[in-house]
Amino acid sequence: EAGVTQFPSHSVIEKGQTVTLRCDPISGHDNLYWYRRVMGKEIKFLLHFVKESKQDESGMPNNRFLAERTGGTYSTLKVQPAELEDSGVYFCASSHWTGAYEQYFGPGTRLTVT
Amino acid sequence: DQQVKQNSPSLSVQEGRISILNCDYTNSMFDYFLWYKKYPAEGPTFLISISSIKDKNEDGRFTVFLNKSAKHLSLHIVPSQPGDSAVYFCAASVYSGNTGKLIFGQGTTLQVKP
């Protein structure tokens, strides 16, 4: 069974540009989560999809971030326009059940905004 | 406001000895706790979890202890092996919630010396 995959693994963009991150969850997992780790600090929740619906987006920092999950399969996270403080590692995770169950994480996308 | 805290940024132990990683939380609504291990350039990997109805859960060399009155949990690794060297994250969630978002601590870097 393939794990959670994320693309790209690393992205370097200039302030003001747009970047789109992609996550492919484990097949059959309805729940998809986005998290972010900034500057070696804690991993922070961004949002949660159940299939194609946003279940919880309380962690999204501002309206420069847009997440979609068309068809309930893969998800994209777009940052537009990117700011310096958006730099960090963006993790995607998926789980089969909704609720407090173990989540399987992807390798992350390292975003550097210069 | 940091709801989950790992106050020790790093820990160094000798191979074969016990490693004890600690975690404190402030939100009394949390009732499900997880430990994740993370190697460099990889995503977090689930290790072990515990529900608040228990005070101990064991899986091979890993044991998690929960002290609800003190809002404290710990991860014991016995015996420690060099391959256990990684960053360990404590995470908490609300089991009955309709979102499984995880609240993470800052992580503790464990080094196991041969």
Side-chain angles (χ1 to χ4, degrees):
Chain A
E1 178 184 85
V4 177
T5 58
Q6 294 186 244
F7 182 83
S9 58
H10 193 182
S11 180
V12 182
I13 61 172
E14 292 183 353
K15 176 182 172 180
Q17 290 186 322
T18 298
V19 63
T20 300
L21 314 181
R22 172 172 170 143
C23 168
D24 287 80
I26 292 172
S27 178
H29 282 192
D30 288 339
N31 295 274
L32 187 150
Y33 302 83
W34 283 99
Y35 293 87
R36 177 173 73 172
R37 189 181 189 205
V38 174
M39 289 292 290
K41 295 185 178 178
E42 73 272 23
I43 301 168
K44 281 193 172 183
F45 168 81
L46 294 178
L47 88 159
H48 169 209
F49 283 101
V50 178
K51 297 184 180 179
E52 66 275 8
S53 300
K54 292 176 184 174
Q55 182 76 6
D56 181 354
E57 49 184 329
S58 61
M60 293 289 264
N62 52 61
N63 58 11
R64 295 186 293 103
F65 289 75
L66 175 63
E68 294 180 326
R69 192 182 182 194
T70 308
T73 54
Y74 72 91
S75 174
T76 58
L77 180 65
K78 181 189 288 188
V79 185
Q80 179 183 30
E83 298 288 345
L84 298 179
E85 63 264 25
D86 300 333
S87 295
V89 182
Y90 290 77
F91 293 105
C92 175
S94 72
S95 66
H96 182 66
W97 304 104
T98 299
Y101 295 93
E102 62 195 71
Q103 297 172 17
Y104 299 88
F105 281 75
T109 293
R110 179 173 293 278
L111 174 64
T112 303
V113 182
T114 62
Chain B
D1 180 32
Q2 190 82 30
Q3 298 186 71
V4 177
K5 297 181 182 179
Q6 295 175 254
N7 292 317
S8 298
S10 62
L11 174 68
S12 181
V13 300
Q14 208 66 35
E15 180 179 6
R17 306 294 290 268
I18 184 172
S19 295
I20 300 177
L21 296 103
N22 294 302
C23 178
D24 297 293
Y25 62 96
T26 57
N27 190 338
S28 58
M29 293 295 291
F30 290 146
D31 55 7
Y32 192 70
F33 305 89
L34 309 90
W35 284 94
Y36 279 82
K37 178 170 75 173
K38 185 184 176 309
Y39 293 119
E42 294 184 9
T45 302
F46 171 75
L47 265 180
I48 191 169
S49 62
I50 187 167
S51 162
S52 61
I53 62 173
K54 294 184 174 181
D55 54 18
K56 176 183 174 182
N57 190 25
E58 200 169 346
D59 184 2
R61 297 186 298 112
F62 302 91
T63 302
V64 57
F65 295 92
L66 176 62
N67 182 333
K68 290 188 293 291
S69 60
K71 294 191 178 66
H72 177 83
L73 64 156
S74 60
L75 174 68
H76 292 210
I77 306 174
V78 184
S80 300
Q81 300 173 353
D84 296 329
S85 298
V87 180
Y88 288 77
F89 290 95
C90 168
S93 187
V94 177
Y95 190 79
S96 58
N98 60 2
T99 175
K101 73 177 181 184
L102 300 177
I103 308 300
F104 284 88
Q106 307 96 309
T108 296
T109 300
L110 173 65
Q111 182 186 30
V112 180
K113 297 178 179 178

